[in-house]
Structure formats: structure tokens, C-alpha cells
Amino acid sequence: MTSSSDRTAHLAVYDTFADWETGHTTAHLTQNGYTVRTVGLTREPVSTMGGLRIQPDLALDELRPQDSALLILTGASGWDTGDGLAPFARAARSFLDAGVPVAAICGATAGLAREGLLDDRAHTSAISFYLAATGYAGGARYVDADAVTDGGAAGCGGLVTAGPTEPVAFAREVFGLLGAYDAKKLDAWYRLFHDSDASAYEVLQGE
């Protein structure tokens, strides 16, 4: 029996949240039967980088890995200007330790690096020296790719990482990790949204 936690993805939101980085991910998870709930440091509204106001559904101290299928972390200036977003990196640790996946894009990857979560996992980001500047110990695991999924060790959740220019590849990896599409449709989805391959639309429609 599928529980609500198996179909709920949590999206972290904070001031200067990079709007464009997770639009494909959240829209198509929702279209495939997932509920997306937003999580802030508190329940107070935040403003995205694009100037949109978001009222979080819950505060970070209310979030439990067992109630979720995925934690999504996006870029924001706060990842590189202090420790204000570090609680979200610590939440990512609790998710991974509980066997629940995490997906991080752009500056959020630096937050995970500082938390030590990329030291032993394959990962990517905007560029290798961006993460190297954090002083982390995972440089040897850096992969020069648009997006990377590390399946995780036994008992640990999988981890998706991507750079800021790869929202479509980021979504592809999330869908693959969660099984939102089968392999054929996942390939078609990527060809449609990344390559503008109109023929892929028929595959997505099951024709």
C-alpha cells in the first residue's frame, strides 16, 4: 500500500530562492501524482530571486524524513554569504541517513559540501573549483556532467546534484531516482524539454 509520504516531495524555500531551477521538477512530479509541499526556516513568507512571495507550508523543525519521498534544495545567495541556510544542509543529512533521497542544485551543492555530504558521494555542481572553495574533502568524487545521481550506500538515500544551468537534467535525474517515468518515457521527456524534439511528445502520451 502506498502511503502519503511515498508521494510527497518537500521543496525548501528561502529568500533569493532561484525560481527557475526546480520548475520542471515540481511541475512534472505534481502531474505524476506527487504532492509538493514547501518548507521554510519558519512559516514566514519568503521572496524568491524573481520577486515572488511564497508562504511555506511548514517550518523546517516540523519536517521529518519519514513523511517525505524527497527533499529538494535550490540555489540562493544565502548558501555563499553565511550559515543562514546551514539548517537545510543538516536536514539533508537526516534525510540521507534515514534512506530518503535529496536533490540539490546550484548553491545548495556547496551547502551539502560544507556539511560533508559530498565527501563520499559522486556529485556535480556549477564547476569543480566552486565546491573546492568550501574546503570539502570530496574533490575526487566530482563528476563533470550536467547532473549526477549517487545511489547511496545501503541504508542511505540517493542524492541528485546539478549546476544552475541544468534544471532539465536535474529534473530528469529526480524522475529517474523516484521512478516517476519508466526508462522509455524518461528519455522522451528529456528529449522533449531539453532538445525540443516534438516526436518525443507521442511517447509521453503513450502512443
Side-chain angles (χ1 to χ4, degrees):
M1 180 176 179
T2 301
S3 68
S4 60
S5 64
D6 295 330
R7 308 295 289 181
T8 300
H10 287 91
L11 172 67
V13 295
Y14 21 73
D15 285 330
T16 71
F17 163 93
D19 313 58
W20 68 91
E21 292 177 345
T22 60
H24 291 87
T25 301
T26 55
H28 292 275
L29 284 178
T30 299
Q31 291 176 25
N32 281 278
Y34 284 82
T35 297
V36 176
R37 302 194 71 200
T38 53
V39 184
L41 282 172
T42 69
R43 287 185 178 234
E44 291 299 309
V46 299
S47 294
T48 73
M49 198 172 291
L52 303 180
R53 296 280 282 173
I54 296 178
Q55 177 79 53
D57 294 314
L58 68 161
L60 188 58
D61 62 8
E62 301 174 87
L63 179 64
R64 303 186 307 164
Q66 59 265 41
D67 296 331
S68 186
L70 174 72
L71 175 62
I72 306 169
L73 302 173
T74 73
S77 60
W79 289 113
D80 298 316
T81 56
D83 297 326
L85 297 183
F88 287 102
R90 292 193 290 271
R93 177 179 292 281
S94 70
F95 267 64
L96 294 171
D97 287 348
V100 182
V102 171
I105 185 170
C106 189
T109 61
L112 298 192
R114 294 185 186 95
E115 182 66 18
L117 297 176
L118 304 185
D119 290 351
D120 301 310
R121 294 176 172 89
H123 61 276
T124 193
S125 184
I127 198 164
S128 60
F129 57 74
Y130 170 64
L131 293 186
T134 68
Y136 84 133
R141 304 300 306 274
Y142 187 89
V143 181
D144 188 10
D146 53 8
V148 170
T149 297
D150 185 284
C156 294
L159 176 65
V160 172
T161 51
T165 61
E166 300 295 345
V168 178
F170 181 69
R172 176 198 64 202
E173 296 300 305
V174 169
F175 303 153
L177 184 62
L178 295 182
Y181 292 105
D182 62 32
K184 183 178 180 181
K185 286 191 173 182
L186 183 61
D187 174 71
W189 184 92
Y190 186 73
R191 287 190 288 112
L192 179 62
F193 287 95
H194 186 268
D195 303 327
S196 300
D197 181 353
S199 68
Y201 181 77
E202 294 182 358
V203 179
L204 283 174
Q205 297 304 304
E207 297 178 5

